[in-house]
Amino acid sequence: MNLRLSQISGGFITPKAYGLGFLAMSVLAVLIVLVIILVGEYTKTRGRFLLTALTFEGYFFCSLAPVWVAERRPESLVAQLGMGAALTALLLLLIGYWGTPDSDAFWKSTAIVTIIAFVLSYLAVVDADNGRLSRSLHAKAIALPTVVGCLGIAAGINWPPYWWAFSLSVISWVVTLGISALSYWIRRLQRR
């Protein structure tokens, strides 16, 4: 029996619901900014509300791809992991904003989980077609900056050459992504 994620969740975990959540949080963030401007006073609490709305907006945006892939391919482990990582990052960020933990380890962990959530969101899109993830140069190219960045954060590396290497690995991933997109558009234009 093949149940879809939207059937299990009662229809709340669908791309449409996440798209609407993203739009609703965008509107809420703008309304909070307008209230701050109209009142003429920025307080810590209003800032936290704005940050919360922006974080929920990021959560819905980051989760949209994994939810779409999970609906299309329920067997995709990457989509399931992406949704779990995004939810974990959301909860950690909200705890950080409202609980104000004064722990370097907490914020390092939160940063690492957030990076992993974004990367899994991207990899879920690549995994939309069965078997495409293992053949994708992009998936392999994003692995290096992810590992380098997470290790650098976890170990607290402040050595500039290390972060230059990280920057170069991110640039190499962006270049591979750009070349792929350009070749796609060229092939599309040639078909016309």
Side-chain angles (χ1 to χ4, degrees):
M1 180 150 101
N2 188 9
L3 288 175
R4 291 205 169 256
L5 185 63
S6 60
Q7 293 169 329
I8 296 169
S9 66
F12 290 112
I13 302 179
T14 65
K16 184 177 181 179
Y18 274 67
L20 289 174
F22 174 75
L23 290 175
M25 288 300 117
S26 299
V27 169
L28 182 61
V30 169
L31 290 175
I32 291 170
V33 169
L34 288 175
V35 165
I36 291 171
I37 290 171
L38 290 174
V39 171
E41 183 181 10
Y42 175 84
T43 63
K44 197 177 205 180
T45 303
R46 288 185 189 124
R48 286 180 178 164
F49 277 119
L50 178 60
L51 203 51
T52 299
L54 292 172
T55 301
F56 268 102
E57 183 180 12
Y59 163 74
F60 284 119
F61 182 76
C62 184
S63 297
L64 191 56
V67 167
W68 174 75
V69 173
E71 186 176 71
R72 186 173 175 191
R73 286 191 53 231
E75 72 278 1
S76 173
L77 182 61
V78 176
Q80 302 299 326
L81 289 172
M83 289 187 298
L87 182 60
T88 304
L90 171 71
L91 294 174
L92 286 172
L93 287 167
L94 292 177
I95 289 169
Y97 301 156
W98 293 96
T100 60
D102 193 21
S103 166
D104 194 39
F106 173 83
W107 288 110
K108 284 181 178 184
S109 301
T110 302
I112 290 168
V113 170
T114 304
I115 290 169
I116 290 170
F118 280 116
V119 170
L120 286 173
S121 177
Y122 170 75
L123 291 177
V125 173
V126 176
D127 194 41
D129 295 327
N130 196 12
R132 188 170 153 212
L133 185 62
S134 61
R135 297 184 317 260
S136 173
L137 174 64
H138 311 297
K140 294 171 184 83
I142 199 170
L144 180 62
T146 302
V147 169
V148 169
C150 290
L151 283 176
I153 291 169
I157 297 174
N158 294 326
W159 190 46
Y162 184 87
W163 292 107
W164 276 104
F166 170 75
S167 300
L168 290 174
S169 65
V170 169
I171 291 168
S172 69
W173 171 68
V174 170
V175 167
T176 61
L177 194 60
I179 290 170
S180 177
L182 185 62
S183 65
Y184 169 78
W185 284 106
I186 290 171
R187 283 193 312 267
R188 230 178 135 173
L189 289 172
Q190 288 174 346
R191 282 187 231 149
R192 289 183 183 188

